[in-house]
Coordinates of all heavy atoms in Angstrom, one line a residue:
R1 N 3.3 -9.5 -2.4 CA 2.5 -10.4 -3.3 C 0.9 -10.4 -3.0 O 0.2 -10.4 -4.0 CB 3.0 -11.8 -3.1 CG 4.4 -12.0 -3.7 CD 4.9 -13.5 -3.5 NE 6.1 -13.7 -4.2 CZ 6.2 -14.0 -5.5 NH1 5.1 -14.3 -6.1 NH2 7.4 -14.3 -6.1
K2 N 0.6 -10.1 -1.7 CA -0.9 -10.4 -1.5 C -1.5 -9.1 -0.9 O -2.6 -8.8 -1.4 CB -1.0 -11.5 -0.5 CG -0.6 -12.8 -1.0 CD -1.5 -13.3 -2.1 CE -1.0 -14.6 -2.7 NZ -1.8 -15.1 -3.8
I3 N -0.9 -8.5 0.0 CA -1.6 -7.3 0.8 C -1.9 -6.1 0.1 O -2.9 -5.6 -0.1 CB -0.9 -7.1 2.1 CG1 -0.8 -8.4 3.0 CG2 -1.6 -6.0 2.9 CD1 -0.1 -8.2 4.2
Y4 N -0.6 -5.6 -0.6 CA -0.8 -4.4 -1.5 C -1.7 -4.6 -2.7 O -2.6 -3.8 -2.9 CB 0.5 -3.8 -1.8 CG 1.4 -3.5 -0.7 CD1 2.8 -3.8 -0.7 CD2 0.9 -2.9 0.5 CE1 3.5 -3.6 0.4 CE2 1.8 -2.6 1.5 CZ 3.0 -2.9 1.6 OH 3.9 -2.7 2.6
P5 N -1.6 -5.7 -3.4 CA -2.5 -5.9 -4.5 C -4.0 -5.9 -4.1 O -4.9 -5.5 -4.7 CB -2.0 -7.2 -5.2 CG -0.6 -7.3 -4.9 CD -0.5 -6.6 -3.4
A6 N -4.2 -6.6 -2.9 CA -5.6 -6.7 -2.3 C -6.1 -5.4 -2.0 O -7.3 -5.0 -2.3 CB -5.6 -7.6 -1.1
L7 N -5.2 -4.6 -1.3 CA -5.8 -3.2 -0.9 C -6.1 -2.4 -2.2 O -7.1 -1.7 -2.3 CB -4.7 -2.5 0.0 CG -4.7 -3.1 1.4 CD1 -3.4 -2.4 2.1 CD2 -6.0 -2.8 2.2
Y8 N -5.3 -2.6 -3.2 CA -5.3 -1.8 -4.4 C -6.8 -2.1 -5.0 O -7.5 -1.3 -5.5 CB -4.3 -2.0 -5.4 CG -4.4 -1.3 -6.7 CD1 -4.4 0.1 -6.9 CD2 -4.6 -2.2 -7.9 CE1 -4.5 0.6 -8.1 CE2 -4.7 -1.6 -9.2 CZ -4.8 -0.1 -9.2 OH -4.9 0.4 -10.4
N9 N -7.1 -3.5 -5.3 CA -8.3 -3.8 -5.9 C -9.5 -3.6 -5.0 O -10.6 -3.1 -5.6 CB -8.3 -5.4 -6.1 CG -7.5 -5.6 -7.2 OD1 -7.8 -5.5 -8.4 ND2 -6.2 -6.2 -7.2
L10 N -9.4 -3.5 -3.6 CA -10.5 -3.0 -2.8 C -10.7 -1.5 -3.0 O -11.9 -1.1 -3.1 CB -10.2 -3.2 -1.4 CG -10.1 -4.7 -0.9 CD1 -9.7 -4.7 0.6 CD2 -11.7 -5.2 -1.0
F11 N -9.6 -0.9 -3.2 CA -9.7 0.7 -3.5 C -10.4 0.9 -4.9 O -11.2 1.7 -5.0 CB -8.3 1.3 -3.7 CG -8.1 2.7 -4.0 CD1 -8.6 3.6 -3.2 CD2 -7.8 3.1 -5.3 CE1 -8.5 5.0 -3.4 CE2 -7.7 4.4 -5.6 CZ -8.0 5.4 -4.7
I12 N -10.1 0.1 -5.9 CA -10.8 0.3 -7.2 C -12.2 0.0 -7.1 O -13.1 0.6 -7.7 CB -10.1 -0.7 -8.2 CG1 -8.7 -0.2 -8.7 CG2 -11.0 -0.7 -9.5 CD1 -8.0 -1.2 -9.5
D13 N -12.6 -1.0 -6.2 CA -14.0 -1.4 -6.0 C -14.8 -0.4 -5.0 O -15.9 -0.9 -4.7 CB -14.1 -2.9 -5.6 CG -13.6 -3.8 -6.7 OD1 -13.7 -3.4 -8.0 OD2 -13.2 -4.9 -6.4
Q14 N -14.0 0.4 -4.6 CA -14.5 1.4 -3.6 C -15.1 0.6 -2.2 O -16.0 0.9 -1.6 CB -15.8 2.2 -4.1 CG -15.3 3.1 -5.3 CD -16.5 3.9 -5.8 OE1 -17.6 3.7 -5.6 NE2 -16.1 5.0 -6.5
K15 N -14.1 -0.2 -1.9 CA -14.5 -1.0 -0.7 C -13.5 -0.8 0.5 O -13.4 -1.5 1.5 CB -14.4 -2.6 -1.0 CG -15.5 -3.1 -1.9 CD -15.4 -4.6 -2.0 CE -16.5 -5.1 -2.9 NZ -16.4 -6.7 -3.1
L16 N -12.8 0.2 0.3 CA -11.9 0.9 1.4 C -12.7 1.9 2.2 O -13.5 2.5 1.6 CB -10.4 1.3 0.9 CG -9.5 0.3 0.5 CD1 -8.1 1.0 0.1 CD2 -9.3 -0.8 1.6
P17 N -12.4 2.2 3.4 CA -13.0 3.3 4.0 C -12.7 4.6 3.4 O -11.6 4.7 2.8 CB -12.3 3.3 5.5 CG -11.9 1.8 5.7 CD -11.4 1.5 4.4
Q18 N -13.6 5.5 3.5 CA -13.5 6.7 2.7 C -12.2 7.6 3.3 O -11.4 8.2 2.6 CB -14.6 7.7 2.8 CG -14.6 8.8 1.9 CD -16.0 9.5 1.8 OE1 -16.9 9.2 2.6 NE2 -16.2 10.4 0.9
S19 N -12.0 7.4 4.5 CA -10.8 7.9 5.3 C -9.9 6.7 5.7 O -10.3 6.0 6.6 CB -11.2 8.7 6.4 OG -10.1 9.4 6.9
F20 N -8.8 6.5 4.9 CA -8.1 5.4 5.1 C -6.6 5.8 5.1 O -6.1 6.5 4.3 CB -8.3 4.3 4.0 CG -7.4 3.0 4.1 CD1 -7.7 2.0 5.0 CD2 -6.3 3.0 3.1 CE1 -7.0 0.9 4.9 CE2 -5.5 1.9 3.3 CZ -5.8 0.8 4.2
A21 N -5.7 5.3 6.1 CA -4.3 5.6 6.2 C -3.7 4.2 6.5 O -4.1 3.5 7.2 CB -4.0 6.6 7.3
L22 N -2.6 4.1 5.9 CA -1.7 2.9 6.0 C -0.4 3.4 6.5 O 0.4 4.3 5.8 CB -1.6 2.1 4.8 CG -0.9 0.8 4.9 CD1 -1.5 -0.3 4.1 CD2 0.5 0.9 4.6
I23 N 0.2 2.8 7.5 CA 1.7 3.0 8.0 C 2.3 1.7 8.0 O 2.0 0.7 8.7 CB 1.6 3.7 9.4 CG1 0.9 5.0 9.4 CG2 3.1 3.8 9.8 CD1 0.7 5.6 10.8
G24 N 3.3 1.6 7.0 CA 4.1 0.5 6.9 C 5.2 0.5 7.8 O 5.9 1.6 8.0
L25 N 5.6 -0.7 8.4 CA 6.7 -0.7 9.4 C 7.7 -1.8 9.0 O 7.2 -2.8 8.4 CB 6.0 -1.0 10.8 CG 5.0 -0.2 11.3 CD1 4.4 -0.8 12.5 CD2 5.5 1.2 11.6
G26 N 9.0 -1.5 9.2 CA 10.1 -2.5 8.8 C 11.3 -2.0 9.5 O 11.4 -0.8 9.9
R27 N 12.4 -2.8 9.5 CA 13.7 -2.5 10.0 C 14.4 -1.7 9.0 O 15.3 -0.9 9.4 CB 14.3 -3.7 10.4 CG 13.8 -4.4 11.7 CD 14.7 -5.3 12.4 NE 14.9 -6.5 11.5 CZ 15.8 -7.4 11.8 NH1 16.4 -7.5 13.0 NH2 16.1 -8.5 11.0
R28 N 14.1 -1.8 7.8 CA 14.9 -1.2 6.7 C 14.6 0.3 6.7 O 13.6 0.8 6.8 CB 14.6 -1.8 5.3 CG 15.4 -1.3 4.2 CD 14.9 -1.8 2.9 NE 14.5 -3.3 3.1 CZ 14.0 -4.0 2.1 NH1 13.4 -3.4 1.0 NH2 13.8 -5.3 2.2
E29 N 15.7 1.0 6.6 CA 15.5 2.5 6.4 C 15.0 2.9 5.1 O 15.4 2.4 4.1 CB 16.9 3.2 6.6 CG 17.5 3.1 8.1 CD 16.8 4.2 8.9 OE1 16.1 5.1 8.4 OE2 16.9 4.1 10.2
M30 N 13.9 3.7 5.0 CA 13.3 4.0 3.8 C 12.4 5.3 4.0 O 11.8 5.4 5.1 CB 12.4 2.8 3.4 CG 11.8 3.1 2.1 SD 10.7 1.6 1.7 CE 11.7 0.2 1.8
N31 N 12.3 6.2 3.1 CA 11.4 7.3 3.3 C 10.1 7.0 2.6 O 9.8 6.0 1.9 CB 12.0 8.5 2.6 CG 12.3 8.4 1.1 OD1 11.5 7.7 0.4 ND2 13.3 9.1 0.6
D32 N 9.1 7.9 2.8 CA 7.7 7.6 2.3 C 7.7 7.4 0.8 O 7.0 6.6 0.3 CB 6.9 8.7 2.6 CG 6.6 8.8 4.1 OD1 6.8 7.8 4.8 OD2 6.0 9.9 4.6
E33 N 8.5 8.2 0.0 CA 8.4 8.1 -1.5 C 9.0 6.8 -1.9 O 8.5 6.2 -2.9 CB 9.1 9.3 -2.1 CG 8.5 10.7 -2.0 CD 7.0 10.6 -2.2 OE1 6.7 10.1 -3.3 OE2 6.2 11.1 -1.4
S34 N 10.1 6.3 -1.3 CA 10.7 5.0 -1.6 C 9.7 3.9 -1.5 O 9.5 2.8 -2.1 CB 11.9 4.8 -0.9 OG 12.9 5.7 -1.3
F35 N 8.9 4.1 -0.3 CA 8.0 3.0 0.2 C 6.9 3.0 -0.9 O 6.5 1.9 -1.3 CB 7.5 3.4 1.6 CG 6.4 2.5 2.0 CD1 6.5 1.1 2.1 CD2 5.3 2.9 2.6 CE1 5.5 0.2 2.5 CE2 4.2 2.1 3.1 CZ 4.4 0.8 3.1
K36 N 6.3 4.2 -1.2 CA 5.2 4.2 -2.2 C 5.7 3.6 -3.6 O 4.9 2.9 -4.1 CB 4.7 5.6 -2.4 CG 4.1 6.2 -1.3 CD 3.8 7.6 -1.5 CE 3.1 8.3 -0.2 NZ 2.6 9.7 -0.4
A37 N 6.9 3.8 -3.8 CA 7.4 3.2 -5.2 C 7.5 1.9 -5.1 O 7.2 1.1 -6.1 CB 8.8 3.9 -5.5
S38 N 7.9 1.2 -4.0 CA 7.9 -0.2 -3.8 C 6.6 -0.9 -3.8 O 6.2 -1.9 -4.4 CB 8.6 -0.5 -2.6 OG 8.6 -2.0 -2.2
V39 N 5.7 -0.1 -3.2 CA 4.2 -0.6 -3.2 C 3.6 -0.5 -4.7 O 3.0 -1.5 -5.0 CB 3.3 0.2 -2.2 CG1 1.8 -0.1 -2.5 CG2 3.7 0.1 -0.8
E40 N 3.9 0.4 -5.3 CA 3.4 0.7 -6.8 C 4.0 -0.6 -7.7 O 3.3 -1.0 -8.4 CB 3.7 2.0 -7.4 CG 3.3 2.1 -8.8 CD 3.6 3.5 -9.4 OE1 4.1 4.3 -8.6 OE2 3.3 3.6 -10.6
Q41 N 5.3 -0.9 -7.4 CA 5.8 -2.0 -8.1 C 5.2 -3.3 -7.9 O 5.0 -4.0 -8.8 CB 7.4 -2.1 -7.9 CG 8.2 -3.0 -8.8 CD 8.1 -2.7 -10.2 OE1 8.4 -1.5 -10.6 NE2 7.7 -3.5 -11.1
S42 N 4.9 -3.5 -6.6 CA 4.2 -4.7 -6.3 C 2.8 -4.8 -6.9 O 2.4 -5.9 -7.4 CB 4.1 -4.9 -4.7 OG 3.1 -4.0 -4.2

């Protein structure tokens, strides 16, 4: 609800570091593509 939309709007406004990597952590089994799809939906 908050973190991914905030990061996306910072990205649009060019307010993220030029070299930026995010590693999401959780107990649920998930591959990178499923995680990206979930972020996109949010």
Side-chain angles (χ1 to χ4, degrees):
R1 288 178 173 271
K2 297 296 182 181
I3 298 173
Y4 300 140
L7 288 170
Y8 176 68
N9 282 287
L10 289 173
F11 176 76
I12 291 175
D13 292 334
Q14 299 183 341
K15 289 183 175 180
L16 288 182
Q18 194 166 10
S19 184
F20 176 80
L22 186 145
I23 298 175
L25 305 171
R27 290 196 299 178
R28 187 185 311 171
E29 290 285 347
M30 187 185 301
N31 60 30
D32 289 347
E33 293 310 309
S34 297
F35 177 50
K36 291 179 182 180
S38 175
V39 173
E40 181 176 356
Q41 188 60 52
S42 75

